[in-house]
């Protein structure tokens, strides 16, 4: 380890980054291995068809669908109101 009053060189910094990356890769490899082992020992209790049908719907999808419908209605009403204003201005004489 270097003294605190001397800055790190690029080579030292690069070595430190490579070491951190190797440590991360090793932890990630172990995590994946443990997850696979857990999945193998604790099988899925529901058959695939039931598991897919019981999945919760993403709440943002419902919100987006509802918002899209509201926006479509708002655009439609604005279109009708604009036409009404043009008709009123066309038929009413000042």
């Amino acid at each position: 380890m270097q003294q605190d009053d001397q800055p790190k060189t690029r080579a030292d910094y690069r070595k430190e980054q490579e070491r951190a990356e190797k440590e991360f890769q090793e932890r990630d490899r172990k995590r994946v291995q443990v997850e696979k082992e857990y999945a193998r020992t604790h099988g899925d209790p529901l058959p695939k068809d039931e598991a897919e049908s019981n999945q919760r719907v993403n709440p943002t999808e419902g919100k987006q669908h509802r918002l899209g419908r509201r926006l479509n209605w708002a655009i439609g009403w604005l279109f009708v109101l604009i036409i009404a204003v043009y008709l009123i201005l066309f038929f009413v004489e000042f």
Side-chain angles (χ1 to χ4, degrees), residues 43-89:
D44 190 11
L46 295 174
K48 277 288 190 195
D49 296 333
E50 289 180 3
E52 291 174 358
S53 66
N54 289 336
Q55 284 182 344
R56 293 185 63 191
V57 176
N58 190 355
T60 56
E61 290 177 13
K63 289 179 183 179
Q64 288 175 346
H65 183 66
R66 187 170 53 248
L67 182 61
R69 257 186 295 146
R70 286 182 182 175
L71 288 173
N72 287 340
W73 276 102
I75 291 169
W77 281 111
L78 286 174
F79 185 72
V80 168
L81 291 173
I82 289 171
I83 290 174
V85 168
Y86 278 121
L87 289 175
I88 289 171
L89 290 174

Side-chain angles (χ1 to χ4, degrees), residues 16-27:
E16 184 178 312
Q17 292 298 318
E18 288 174 359
R19 184 174 32 88
E21 180 66 25
K22 286 179 183 178
E23 289 174 359
F24 172 77
Q25 293 294 336
E26 181 64 25
R27 282 193 315 269

